[in-house]
Amino acid sequence: MRRWDIFCKIVDNFGDIGVCWRLAKQLEHEHAINVRLWIDDLNIARQLIAALDTAQRVQRVDNITIAVWDADTSFDQAAEVVIEAFGCDLPESYLTLLQPDNIWINLEYLSAEPWVEGFHARNSKRGDLTRHFFFPGFTRATGGLLREHDIVKNNQKIASSKQLQSDFFRQLNLPLNDDSATLNISLFSYPHAPISDLLSAMADSSTKISCYVPTTSILPKVAAFFGKEFITAGDHLRHNNLNLHVLPFLSQADYDKLLANCDVNFVRGEDSWIRAIWAGKPFIWQPYLQTEDTHLLKLKAFLDVFYSGCEGAAQQATIAMHNAWASQQITASTWQDYLSNINTLKTFTVQQTSALASQPDLATNLVIYIEKLHHNKI
Ligand code: TRH
């Protein structure tokens, strides 16, 4: 089954297209799958797929066919496999083209909650069609995590090479931070995070910090902390022990490199969360805000899964930091306590990265799962 369609609806932010584009690339590059990616909003997608021409309805980028999915789209044929990303609802006109032997997968959102194992690979019927539910996850009983085959190795090379580090920072017009006492930190979060409190804790701590902030919707909050109305990529700001560098919004590949170059990464949502794990550096994850505090349940489930084997004080410090970040109540002592445990967390994260990287990745699991469905082995 070599012809796949992926449908991506951009709800908000970059996670939907970030995951779909990454999956499409990996299926094409590592599994020789012929992918057609249907996207409902090329303008937002262009932020992640810089080569996209928003005037074209159908185009090839990186060997992948990208097509506009809107009210004017007409479908002539369904692919052998169709991936409906995050329950985005396939268009009726496409559904009518599907036959029982087409394989229809709903790729779900990632969660570390224990119920995921029981729901992964279940299905539901719609007439004579079957919709299969594929859940990403952190255990072998789930669909796994998106991971290109060389990403962990590439990140390790960066982490151990001063040359690669200085090449990266030079490319961003930034000096290499040669002072081993200064911590490099990347910051990507939702604007409701307690950004001002965090920057204040960083500035006033005894540890020198270089903080790298790609351009996203948090810039007004960062600007306000420094008493400015407006900041932009290329700006460097300083307050006490904090040096902050505003970066452009990076390509996915450069964002991966930034994470590998930093000592601590603040990440959010779904895709950057997993990239932080492959970077093998301590990270603080901010889950996507949901009603009834569901995101806090997701956070707790992840902290339970990821840090259960971590030594006591470091475990408490990272849990406290995550909870403070997610519930908007950072204090200087939470941050200081986290920094005091950073070496333990560094060693622990490297171990967890290699444990998770020893499991099969999501794209490979998906290909195997679909082959089994095709041969009626499930
Ligand atoms: O943008 P997000 O908040 O996406 C969210 C989540 O996926 C959430 O689960 C979903 O419900 C919601 O979207 C609709 O965060 P995420 O998932 O980390 O996606 C960000 C993408 O942007 C990721 O692919 C990394 C990429 N990125 C860059 O390519 N360059 C950058 O400079 C930065 C900061 C991010």
Side-chain angles (χ1 to χ4, degrees), residues 1-2 4 6 18-33 35 64 81 83 105 107-108 110 120 134-137 139 142-151 270-271 274-275 278 356-357 359-372:
M1 306 219 106
R2 291 279 156 227
W4 293 27
I6 301 178
V19 168
C20 290
W21 179 233
R22 201 181 286 293
L23 174 64
K25 281 188 291 185
Q26 202 188 343
L27 289 169
E28 202 284 332
H29 300 342
E30 297 182 19
H31 298 276
I33 306 273
V35 181
I64 290 151
V81 177
I83 310 282
I105 305 278
L107 175 65
E108 295 283 350
L110 172 65
H120 172 58
F134 195 91
F135 280 81
T139 68
T142 67
L145 300 170
L146 267 179
R147 186 187 74 245
E148 300 83 355
H149 83 277
D150 52 2
I151 185 67
E270 175 147 339
D271 193 51
I274 301 314
R275 307 318 283 179
W278 304 141
L356 286 169
Q359 297 185 19
D361 67 88
L362 184 143
T364 304
N365 280 336
L366 197 51
V367 170
I368 294 171
Y369 177 66
I370 283 164
E371 280 308 308
K372 285 188 180 159

Side-chain angles (χ1 to χ4, degrees), residues 277-288:
I277 295 179
W278 304 141
K281 302 296 184 64
F283 60 92
I284 307 293
W285 171 54
Q286 184 188 20
Y288 184 75

Side-chain angles (χ1 to χ4, degrees), residues 185-189 193-205 209 211-213 218 221-222 225-226 239 242 244 264-267 284 286 321-322 324-325 328-332 334-336 338-339:
I185 296 187
S186 77
L187 180 56
F188 176 40
S189 75
I195 291 165
S196 181
D197 292 345
L198 176 73
L199 297 180
S200 168
M202 286 179 177
D204 296 340
S205 122
I209 305 271
C211 183
Y212 300 94
V213 186
I218 67 171
K221 281 230 169 166
V222 175
F225 173 79
F226 288 98
H239 183 54
L242 170 66
L244 186 141
V264 178
N265 294 304
F266 283 77
V267 290
I284 307 293
Q286 184 188 20
M321 187 60 206
H322 272 91
W325 190 234
Q328 294 139 58
Q329 297 163 358
I330 291 266
T331 63
T334 318
W335 177 241
Q336 198 48 56
Y338 182 77
L339 289 185

Side-chain angles (χ1 to χ4, degrees), residues 9-19 22 47-48 86 109-110 187-190 213-216 247-256 258 267-275 286-288 290 298:
K9 192 176 276 175
I10 300 178
V11 179
D12 65 356
N13 301 320
F14 311 118
D16 306 289
I17 185 62
V19 168
R22 201 181 286 293
Q47 186 134 5
L48 268 101
F86 311 125
Y109 284 111
L110 172 65
L187 180 56
F188 176 40
S189 75
Y190 297 110
V213 186
T215 297
T216 65
L247 309 182
F249 187 85
L250 303 171
S251 67
Q252 277 187 324
D254 279 345
Y255 183 63
D256 277 337
L258 176 68
V267 290
R268 75 182 202 190
E270 175 147 339
D271 193 51
S272 56
W273 175 23
I274 301 314
R275 307 318 283 179
Q286 184 188 20
Y288 184 75
Q290 286 176 292
K298 286 194 169 173

Side-chain angles (χ1 to χ4, degrees), residues 32-95:
I33 306 273
N34 192 342
V35 181
R36 200 163 50 159
L37 176 58
W38 297 93
I39 305 177
D40 71 336
D41 189 336
L42 289 194
N43 289 312
I44 298 185
R46 194 164 173 273
Q47 186 134 5
L48 268 101
I49 312 171
L52 259 189
D53 176 352
T54 49
Q56 302 290 326
R57 288 192 65 85
V58 180
Q59 59 199 294
R60 296 275 288 172
V61 179
D62 248 349
N63 269 349
I64 290 151
T65 302
I66 297 184
V68 173
W69 167 26
D70 62 14
D72 297 333
T73 307
S74 65
F75 302 96
D76 48 3
Q77 211 187 3
E80 293 163 301
V81 177
V82 54
I83 310 282
E84 174 191 355
F86 311 125
C88 66
D89 287 336
L90 295 183
E92 281 301 324
S93 55
Y94 189 89
L95 279 172

